[in-house]
Amino acid sequence: MTCKFLLFDSNAIFTYVNKRTLQSIEYAQGQHLVEHIRGKLSTEIFEDTAVEYCESGIIFCGKKPEADRKGAPDAGETVFCFDLTACGDILAENDSTLLFVFQKAFRTALKIWNRHPFSVSERVHGSKSILFPFTYPDPRRLVIERSKSTLQLEKRSIDFPLLAYKYNCEDPPQEDEPVSTSVLKAAGRLFNSKRHELRERLNGTGALPRDDSKSEALCSVTTTQEVGREDFIYWPFENQYRSLTNLQREVVDHPELKSPLRVDGAAGTGKTMSMIMRAYKLLEDHRKRGLPFRVAFFAHSQSTFQRNLDTFRKYPNSAQYLDSNSPQYIEFITLSDYCANFASIPLTSLVERDAGDAKTFQLMLVENVLTRPDMINKVRTFLPLISSEMRDMFDAKKTAPGVLYSMLQHEFSVQIKGRTDSTIDKYYEIPPIANGLPCKTKKDKELVFSLFCAYQDELKADGSFDVDDVVMEAMARLNAPIWRRERSESGFDYIFVDEMHLFNINEQSVFHFLTKDLQQEDIPICFALDYSQAVGDRGDISADYSEHAFGEPVRKKYHTVFRNSPQITDFCMSIAVSGVKMFQKGFSDPYHETYSDFLPDDEAKSAVPTLYEYDSDEDMLVSLDQHLQDIVRTLKCNPRDIVVIAFDSKFYSEQGRNDICRQTGRPFVSLGAGQRGEGGKIAAGSYVLASPYDINGMEFQAAVLLGVDEGRVPQTTGTSDISQHYIKYSAYNLLYLAASRAKYRLVILGNRLKGRSSCLEHSIKARYLAIGNE
């Protein structure tokens, strides 16, 4: 059959956009729809629609809507025809892209029929509607003719037909561009001759039987609207399992327990949840078989550790599996806590237990070192001897002090402690890393190493250990004879690592020593990665430990975004694209062929992220209360479902939190500051305040990013070319990380006098970030 057209009536389109499992080919139903679009199947009843293969095309016909069905067109036969003789290039796209374009086109058609406003990706040009499915600057577009007078099918009982007649064109359509309607007229005649028969066939069969083996939607509902996923963690395991995509299910069911399993994906694609489900299923399987099985589930921060533990506790038998005396046992823990316990270091000796708080404290110690009179004199002595690049780093007119502190802390942690065993001789030998301190000469390294020794003295004076000290001490004991002897009995049968990208090379090295196999021929580990969230290491990811240490792991790449609205996904995607352009290998784009599973009801709550700029920080804080109340009123959510992420330490300090509470008259709870209630719960009436370092792994209905301007994101006051490259890398990471926490609404607040953040330029130009009218 030569397929000249695909004709969808409005009822079929309404059905397809309102079924979650038809939004991505990672669901079996989404892949099945793509096969029909490609004309590879045959006539059948599919997802409450009739798919009819004709001699020259395919008709997709749905049931007539109930009179009160929300969002359906009011009356008449409305159809959307794809003229494949004119826009057949669309079929050259791969399966995931093809489904994405059609779902975007379906939503545009519904907006046209219902006279709803267009989004930033949809344009009007005379009688043409132009859909840009992909992020700027991707030129691919679909052109739709919507002129009633041109198409003239009303006499055939078809009202307001739409015709897709051009795809992937470089030139914009002309307003008077002639459009051939011969294919549409032929398709319309076939539809009129068959629609009554197809609807009778649909009414006779009723709803299709559910096939749980094909990732059908979680719950059986009688309406055409699917149940939302906000409360996914509260669903029974069996229902969660049925709602997984094919790829997620492959992770949960992966049969191999001796080789590494790597899960890649953008923020909000369900990496952590599928790993928790895998852990539970493995424990259940071993319990039923009567086999012992010990599992460790590592997190980077206290907040993500608590979230993972709370999620697991909702499963049956979880109390038994969390009992260390049980034959089937799982331990949820942060790596720093595990290493401290293993090395018998009191937790009170850690600079901070939480990773974000620990980083802040480390920066304070570095600042103390650089402001000590003896160190000021030492730096002054070295200045004539070091390279010009390093002189710029220590010149306050070219590099802001905060930038220098951050770069030194990173150098101490990754280069000196992680790669040299804290010895100057080995430090001489290693090259500098991309986006790090430009320590190229011997004198460069001698200066930095002397500052490192002073930093260690500061720790010793406080009687404290930083995270790297604890990890290195644990590594020494893990590589000692006693643990080697005990490892086969006390090691773990399987290890999960959430957010591997947040661990530096020292921390990642620990995982090799925790399993039972002394020879490390088998590495039973499952870990999740999204390099765009990596705020810890600034090196080229091609040389990253995770890329080489675990051999050739089985890789599963998730593409479907569950957490973020399409508008927020587009914004995050534009941030990632900006990073790719600037950093190339050093910044990974997680959004390659990534799509949203939001339904129209979800999208109705969503809006384009918006930037508001004020003349002072005081005005910005005064406006915060109005923004928060607008979000609560619009989303009808609880205050604890909204997070304010501050990009200036003065806002998320204890004093800053008090100032925000006073300015807004609202209660705030800080993440990572021990202010939550029992069990890590946030009080229902409190908003959440966090720094970008505390927020990884969390998700909220809305996020307000506070203090996003050129003075802070990135910090530009007094920065050299080298430090600016480093700090902008970090700014893209943190901005992406913070924005991806929001499900429906994202509001960004900045100080106009500091300048508009250059990290936002691409997003504004591409219209993925709107400018507020204040």
Side-chain angles (χ1 to χ4, degrees):
M1 178 190 80
T2 300
C3 192
K4 295 182 178 180
F5 70 83
L6 301 171
L7 187 140
F8 301 83
D9 81 337
S10 59
N11 308 304
I13 288 176
F14 186 81
T15 298
Y16 293 159
V17 300
N18 281 287
K19 285 187 177 288
R20 200 174 300 276
T21 52
L22 297 179
Q23 309 307 307
S24 167
I25 65 167
E26 292 184 7
Y27 291 107
Q29 293 92 328
Q31 182 64 52
H32 197 84
L33 177 57
V34 169
E35 296 301 309
H36 273 309
I37 290 172
R38 294 195 184 281
K40 292 185 176 181
L41 303 177
S42 58
T43 296
E44 68 168 335
I45 301 297
F46 168 70
E47 294 293 323
D48 296 335
T49 66
V51 183
E52 180 77 4
Y53 280 63
C54 307
E55 183 178 350
S56 57
I58 306 172
I59 295 173
F60 299 79
C61 179
K63 292 182 179 179
K64 272 288 191 180
E66 296 90 358
D68 60 348
R69 192 165 77 176
K70 181 181 177 182
D74 295 332
E77 292 290 354
T78 46
V79 298
F80 186 10
C81 179
F82 286 75
D83 182 352
L84 298 182
T85 67
C87 67
D89 287 347
I90 198 171
L91 298 180
E93 301 287 5
N94 62 45
D95 288 354
S96 57
T97 301
L98 183 65
L99 181 59
F100 176 73
V101 173
F102 269 77
Q103 283 288 358
K104 284 280 192 179
F106 292 159
R107 285 162 168 77
T108 299
L110 291 176
K111 289 178 183 178
I112 294 172
W113 290 326
N114 287 308
R115 298 176 177 83
H116 288 169
F118 282 168
S119 69
V120 295
S121 62
E122 298 158 323
R123 315 286 169 82
V124 176
H125 188 73
S127 66
K128 316 295 190 290
S129 290
I130 310 170
L131 169 64
F132 293 84
F134 308 101
T135 55
Y136 177 88
D138 193 318
R140 286 175 288 181
R141 67 194 76 180
L142 181 72
V143 184
I144 302 169
E145 176 60 67
R146 52 185 172 80
S147 170
K148 288 185 180 181
S149 59
T150 300
L151 302 181
Q152 294 180 352
L153 286 177
E154 292 88 344
K155 294 181 181 179
R156 298 185 177 89
S157 302
I158 295 178
D159 182 32
F160 211 159
L162 302 177
L163 176 66
Y165 72 94
K166 186 179 291 188
Y167 179 73
N168 206 23
C169 55
E170 296 295 335
D171 299 322
Q174 302 301 313
E175 191 168 344
D176 57 350
E177 182 176 73
V179 178
S180 171
T181 61
S182 59
V183 170
L184 172 61
K185 292 175 181 177
R189 285 193 294 269
L190 271 173
F191 174 72
N192 275 326
S193 67
K194 291 179 176 290
R195 58 190 172 94
H196 295 296
E197 173 194 341
L198 295 177
R199 295 225 171 90
E200 287 178 5
R201 194 186 309 167
L202 277 171
N203 292 331
T205 59
L208 274 179
R210 306 277 178 175
D211 182 356
D212 291 340
S213 68
K214 294 184 178 179
S215 307
E216 183 54 68
L218 169 70
C219 299
S220 236
V221 290
T222 55
T223 69
T224 58
Q225 299 297 312
E226 291 207 21
V227 177
R229 299 175 64 97
E230 289 84 355
D231 58 350
F232 182 88
I233 64 172
Y234 299 102
W235 297 353
F237 179 86
E238 293 75 13
N239 289 351
Q240 289 180 340
Y241 182 80
R242 284 197 295 270
S243 74
L244 296 177
T245 68
N246 291 350
L247 275 173
Q248 289 173 328
R249 192 175 292 186
E250 288 175 11
V251 168
V252 175
D253 292 339
H254 188 63
E256 182 57 60
L257 298 183
K258 293 185 177 181
S259 60
L261 175 61
R262 169 173 168 166
V263 185
D264 289 277
T269 51
K271 301 184 296 296
T272 301
M273 193 66 212
S274 59
M275 290 202 306
I276 293 174
M277 293 179 68
R278 173 169 175 75
Y280 178 73
K281 187 173 185 297
L282 289 175
L283 291 165
E284 283 278 274
D285 290 346
H286 282 79
R287 179 183 63 82
K288 293 173 182 177
R289 294 159 56 194
L291 300 175
F293 197 65
R294 297 185 73 247
V295 178
F297 201 112
F298 289 102
H300 183 259
S301 67
Q302 291 291 324
S303 58
T304 51
F305 145 72
Q306 188 65 52
R307 178 208 61 186
N308 295 344
L309 177 58
D310 290 344
T311 300
F312 185 84
R313 279 177 171 158
K314 295 176 174 63
Y315 292 138
N317 301 320
S318 61
Q320 173 183 336
Y321 298 142
L322 292 168
D323 181 354
S324 60
N325 296 316
S326 172
Q328 297 82 32
Y329 169 60
I330 184 169
E331 180 176 10
F332 286 87
I333 194 168
T334 64
L335 183 63
S336 59
D337 277 7
Y338 180 87
C339 289
N341 293 336
F342 187 86
S344 302
I345 299 173
L347 294 178
T348 53
S349 297
L350 302 182
V351 291
E352 292 287 352
R353 286 185 66 188
D354 185 80
D357 293 340
K359 178 179 174 62
T360 300
F361 190 81
Q362 287 175 277
L363 291 175
M364 292 170 59
L365 291 183
V366 175
E367 180 179 4
N368 287 346
V369 168
L370 268 294
T371 54
R372 278 169 35 181
D374 59 327
M375 289 296 105
I376 291 175
N377 290 332
K378 182 176 285 291
V379 170
R380 188 179 294 121
T381 301
F382 267 90
L383 284 178
L385 308 175
I386 59 178
S387 65
S388 59
E389 293 90 346
M390 285 295 288
R391 277 198 297 273
D392 286 346
M393 297 304 303
F394 288 89
D395 186 343
K397 295 181 180 179
K398 296 182 178 180
T399 303
V403 176
L404 177 61
Y405 304 153
S406 181
M407 296 183 76
L408 283 169
Q409 187 272 333
H410 179 256
E411 188 79 5
F412 295 167
S413 173
V414 175
Q415 288 286 77
I416 297 178
K417 290 186 178 182
R419 295 188 169 108
T420 72
D421 294 330
S422 301
T423 61
I424 184 64
D425 289 336
K426 290 185 178 179
Y427 189 41
Y428 285 146
E429 297 174 359
I430 63 172
I433 58 176
N435 305 315
L437 275 177
C439 294
K440 299 178 180 179
T441 70
K442 189 173 182 179
K443 288 299 180 183
D444 290 346
K445 293 186 177 182
E446 288 173 355
L447 171 59
V448 173
F449 199 85
S450 63
L451 296 174
F452 165 73
C453 292
Y455 167 79
Q456 289 293 95
D457 290 341
E458 292 280 336
L459 285 173
K460 185 176 180 180
D462 288 340
S464 300
F465 301 96
D466 66 12
V467 173
D468 297 291
D469 289 331
V470 174
V471 169
M472 299 307 291
E473 179 65 22
M475 281 280 290
R477 299 194 183 193
L478 287 166
N479 203 23
I482 293 178
W483 176 247
R484 291 177 189 172
R485 184 181 304 173
E486 296 178 347
R487 185 169 175 174
S488 61
E489 294 295 327
S490 302
F492 291 103
D493 294 292
Y494 204 84
I495 291 175
F496 290 88
V497 183
D498 192 15
E499 301 170 325
M500 178 73 86
H501 46 268
L502 293 183
F503 296 98
N504 65 32
I505 186 173
N506 308 335
E507 297 164 317
Q508 292 179 4
S509 301
V510 172
F511 300 123
H512 265 99
F513 294 90
L514 303 183
T515 57
K516 290 186 174 181
D517 183 11
L518 178 62
Q519 304 303 321
Q520 299 182 21
E521 293 179 358
D522 301 327
I523 308 178
I525 186 172
C526 177
F527 59 98
L529 269 176
D530 175 10
Y531 279 119
S532 292
Q533 297 185 58
V535 296
D537 199 340
R538 273 78 177 179
D540 187 340
I541 65 170
S542 64
D544 188 83
Y545 185 87
S546 300
E547 297 295 322
H548 306 284
F550 301 111
E552 286 296 328
V554 175
R555 298 192 182 200
K556 303 293 182 182
K557 173 65 184 293
Y558 292 173
H559 298 278
T560 306
V561 178
F562 299 98
R563 179 192 299 150
N564 309 124
S565 70
Q567 295 93 327
I568 294 174
T569 298
D570 284 344
F571 174 76
C572 292
M573 197 180 304
S574 68
I575 292 296
V577 168
S578 302
V580 168
K581 283 186 172 181
M582 179 174 181
F583 302 107
Q584 298 177 357
K585 290 184 179 180
F587 193 94
S588 175
D589 179 9
Y591 284 100
H592 180 62
E593 295 184 0
T594 298
Y595 312 111
S596 174
D597 85 327
F598 266 42
L599 302 181
D601 276 3
D602 300 316
E603 293 180 3
K605 301 179 184 178
S606 308
V608 175
T610 305
L611 170 67
Y612 296 90
E613 297 172 298
Y614 300 91
D615 291 331
S616 68
D617 283 358
E618 290 73 20
D619 290 345
M620 184 171 63
L621 290 182
V622 168
S623 76
L624 179 59
D625 180 56
Q626 185 60 53
H627 290 298
L628 295 174
Q629 295 315 300
D630 287 345
I631 293 171
V632 169
R633 183 176 60 255
T634 303
L635 298 183
K636 298 179 174 59
C637 65
N638 194 287
R640 68 182 174 193
D641 295 323
I642 304 172
V643 63
V644 176
I645 304 175
F647 282 78
D648 190 324
S649 59
K650 74 176 184 180
F651 293 133
Y652 58 78
S653 65
E654 182 67 20
Q655 181 60 48
R657 185 179 68 87
N658 292 335
D659 289 343
I660 290 175
C661 290
R662 184 175 63 255
Q663 289 277 12
T664 61
R666 311 287 174 181
F668 280 81
V669 172
S670 296
L671 290 180
Q675 297 178 18
R676 296 198 202 182
E678 184 179 353
K681 300 296 188 298
I682 299 172
S686 297
Y687 295 92
V688 180
L689 177 66
S691 80
Y693 298 100
D694 295 324
I695 207 65
N696 201 288
M698 308 295 287
E699 53 186 78
F700 299 85
Q701 291 200 34
V704 179
L705 310 190
L706 189 65
V708 177
D709 42 54
E710 190 68 5
R712 289 175 283 222
V713 186
Q715 182 174 335
T716 56
T717 303
T719 55
S720 65
D721 291 341
I722 297 170
S723 63
Q724 175 64 15
H725 192 66
Y726 167 94
I727 207 65
K728 199 160 189 176
Y729 183 98
S730 179
Y732 275 116
N733 277 185
L734 293 175
L735 188 59
Y736 165 77
L737 174 62
S740 62
R741 301 307 100 191
K743 186 177 183 72
Y744 298 114
R745 296 296 174 100
L746 178 64
V747 174
I748 302 176
L749 307 182
N751 187 326
R752 184 181 292 109
L753 300 184
K754 290 180 179 293
R756 181 172 294 170
S757 171
S758 56
C759 292
L760 301 176
E761 290 176 356
H762 175 80
S763 303
I764 293 171
K765 182 178 180 180
R767 300 205 292 179
Y768 297 124
L769 179 65
I771 306 298
N773 295 321
E774 300 189 22

